[in-house]
Amino acid sequence: MEKLAFCDGEKLGVFDGENTSFFESNYIRRYREYAETRTKNDEWKFGGEGARFRGDYDRARLKQEKIYASVNAVQWDGEKLIYAATVNGSSAIYRKDLSDEKAAEEHIISSSDESFCSLHRVGNLLAVTIEHGDATSSIGTLDCATAELKTLTDGDSRDANAVFSSGADAILFDTMGVGRTSDGEFTGKYTPAAVCSLDLNTLEIKEILQDGKYSYVHPKQAKDGALYCIRRPAKAKRRGNVFLDILLIPFRILQAIVMFIQYFVIAMTGKSLTSEGDNPAKGREQNSRKLFVDGNFIEAEKEMKRNRKQKDADYGFIPRSWELIRIFQGKTETIKSGVCDFALCRDGGVYCTNGRRIFYVSEGVSKKIAETEKCLCVATAENSDRKTYDLFGL
């Protein structure tokens, strides 16, 4: 097995074929340290008797800033890692030297208006996904030496997961139309995703894989020309029993009344109705937390409960209906279920993740190689010196 890089929440992970190591993002760490220092500096200005005397007392300024941070994508660059991260709406791409944790990370590009959500490297050029914050995203290229960013697609769509083709003369990506109301508001839904190819010489875009019943995301082309991607149902199947739902209506009405009283008491007193146990509102919020994965909101805890019931003990929070498939010479093969990202290996195997575990799959055999908290991206050190294959003969 070759070495693997992956994201795990705010951290970077590396599997060397035998052992797993985790590395800190200095970009995220510095932001946290700055926020903590700023809060401490505000204590004397806006807290205490002196601030009350001056009329500057501001309780809101004394609260620690909430920080939402994540590593979005990672790629190998020799023995270094290039990664993209977002912290409280600001996004940046850095190069990290794994041999020296104390060494300063090399800054490549940053933005406070857009987020960088996927990376794929060939030589000194990165294929990137650029998220605009209005439910749309574009694909582009980034020169790591000059920091020149070129946006190659636009429109009211979510173009994402850009990767170079096996010949590096085209970029493969998935695209979804944005659902909007008559007033132009985002409905929270997209059209089924299709796989497209953008010719880097002519900038011509061709649709190469589309089906109204399914969405196809994360396209990657193998050395033999086979197309790998994740296939998921365009519409989620409705779970549950209609008759049971009807029988539970009185109970749910009663539950709603109790929860309303509970919220009222907490809002007025800051305490729960019961003297013991966690705040039920906080507990419910945690259990129903949603993750935005490839244009879909996933209720992580609920999906994990569903997946836990399956015979496979190495469950994650990605729905099992998300299947990693291989298409070659008109034939479709399912590699593994419950996959949100994958990386191709030179030996023909595949690394993939279900959000919590990372697996190596080869010749139908799946082996768990790492445990994570939230892994949505994996990457191998791919060889950019590859031949060109006819992608459109699939």
Side-chain angles (χ1 to χ4, degrees):
M1 290 185 288
E2 64 185 276
K3 61 183 181 181
L4 171 78
F6 60 92
C7 306
D8 188 6
E10 298 183 13
K11 296 182 178 181
L12 298 160
V14 171
F15 175 70
D16 62 8
E18 295 182 358
N19 302 306
T20 302
S21 304
F22 292 91
F23 300 86
E24 188 178 34
S25 162
N26 292 345
Y27 168 59
I28 295 176
R29 177 182 55 79
R30 288 196 305 270
Y31 191 99
R32 288 190 176 280
E33 291 175 350
Y34 172 73
E36 184 177 347
T37 300
R38 185 170 55 190
T39 300
K40 289 182 179 179
N41 291 340
D42 285 344
E43 287 181 357
W44 73 272
K45 294 180 181 179
F46 304 103
E49 293 302 321
R52 292 181 185 276
F53 176 77
R54 296 191 305 270
D56 295 334
Y57 185 83
D58 188 348
R59 189 174 182 179
R61 296 289 295 270
L62 301 179
K63 293 182 179 179
Q64 181 70 40
E65 178 186 2
K66 288 186 178 181
I67 297 176
Y68 303 93
S70 66
V71 176
N72 305 326
V74 63
Q75 279 287 294
W76 285 101
D77 185 3
E79 294 303 315
K80 299 179 180 181
L81 288 181
I82 297 177
Y83 74 91
T86 299
V87 187
N88 283 14
S90 296
S91 189
I93 298 177
Y94 280 86
R95 183 184 282 110
K96 184 178 186 66
D97 188 348
L98 300 182
S99 63
D100 187 358
E101 267 286 271
K102 296 182 180 179
E105 294 179 345
E106 179 186 345
H107 172 260
I108 297 177
I109 193 172
S110 59
S111 174
S112 58
D113 301 319
E114 301 169 323
S115 294
F116 305 106
C117 299
S118 78
L119 305 173
H120 188 245
R121 186 185 72 87
V122 169
N124 214 35
L125 199 64
L126 288 173
V128 300
T129 297
I130 310 161
E131 205 168 76
H132 304 300
D134 60 350
T136 68
S137 60
S138 305
I139 63 167
T141 57
L142 173 66
D143 190 319
C144 293
T146 63
E148 181 182 9
L149 179 66
K150 293 182 179 179
T151 302
L152 302 178
T153 66
D154 58 13
D156 199 20
S157 61
R158 185 181 186 275
D159 303 333
N161 302 311
V163 298
F164 290 102
S165 64
S166 62
D169 55 354
I171 290 180
L172 307 181
F173 64 98
D174 55 70
T175 181
M176 298 183 284
V178 179
R180 298 195 184 277
T181 65
S182 57
D183 297 327
E185 297 293 328
F186 178 44
T187 62
K189 297 181 180 180
Y190 295 91
T191 63
V195 173
C196 292
S197 173
L198 185 148
D199 189 306
L200 291 175
N201 296 315
T202 65
L203 298 184
E204 180 183 5
I205 296 177
K206 291 184 179 180
E207 186 177 85
I208 60 175
L209 185 60
Q210 188 274 337
D211 185 341
K213 296 180 180 179
Y214 296 97
S215 280
Y216 296 94
V217 295
H218 286 275
K220 292 181 177 68
Q221 189 181 17
K223 291 184 292 184
D224 61 0
L227 177 67
Y228 288 75
C229 63
I230 295 172
R231 178 182 65 189
R232 62 183 188 228
K235 294 183 179 180
K237 294 182 179 179
R238 187 183 185 279
R239 295 182 174 91
N241 187 305
V242 176
F243 297 103
L244 180 60
D245 290 340
I246 294 174
L247 291 175
L248 289 176
I249 288 176
F251 170 76
R252 287 170 177 165
I253 293 175
L254 179 61
Q255 185 183 40
I257 295 173
V258 173
M259 291 307 299
F260 174 79
I261 298 174
Q262 178 78 286
Y263 283 129
F264 180 79
V265 172
I266 293 173
M268 294 296 103
T269 68
K271 298 180 180 180
S272 173
L273 284 173
T274 56
S275 59
E276 298 179 356
D278 297 331
N279 186 323
K282 291 182 179 179
R284 194 179 69 172
E285 181 180 355
Q286 181 180 4
N287 290 337
S288 62
R289 65 188 179 91
K290 291 186 177 182
L291 298 176
F292 189 68
V293 182
D294 282 323
N296 277 251
F297 281 107
I298 294 178
E299 295 188 64
E301 296 297 332
K302 288 185 178 181
E303 288 297 337
M304 288 187 66
K305 288 180 180 179
R306 294 189 184 108
N307 294 337
R308 189 183 297 133
K309 297 177 182 178
Q310 304 297 322
K311 294 182 180 179
D312 185 3
D314 294 320
Y315 58 88
F317 55 75
I318 299 300
R320 293 180 64 83
S321 59
W322 293 28
E323 299 177 326
L324 170 59
I325 63 172
R326 177 179 184 266
I327 305 175
F328 187 59
Q329 295 180 346
K331 297 181 180 180
T332 301
E333 174 189 4
T334 300
I335 306 299
K336 191 173 180 62
S337 299
V339 175
C340 63
D341 193 27
F342 66 96
L344 304 179
C345 302
R346 294 188 182 96
D347 61 6
V350 179
Y351 283 114
C352 58
T353 174
N354 63 8
R356 295 296 295 274
R357 277 93 176 177
I358 300 174
F359 304 89
Y360 173 76
V361 183
S362 179
E363 297 181 351
V365 179
S366 178
K367 177 183 178 182
K368 183 179 70 174
I369 58 102
E371 296 265 357
T372 70
E373 288 297 320
K374 189 182 75 171
C375 176
L376 302 178
C377 175
V378 294
T380 51
E382 298 181 61
N383 183 3
S384 60
D385 184 19
R386 294 169 292 190
K387 296 180 180 179
T388 304
Y389 294 87
D390 182 13
L391 180 65
F392 309 108
L394 292 171

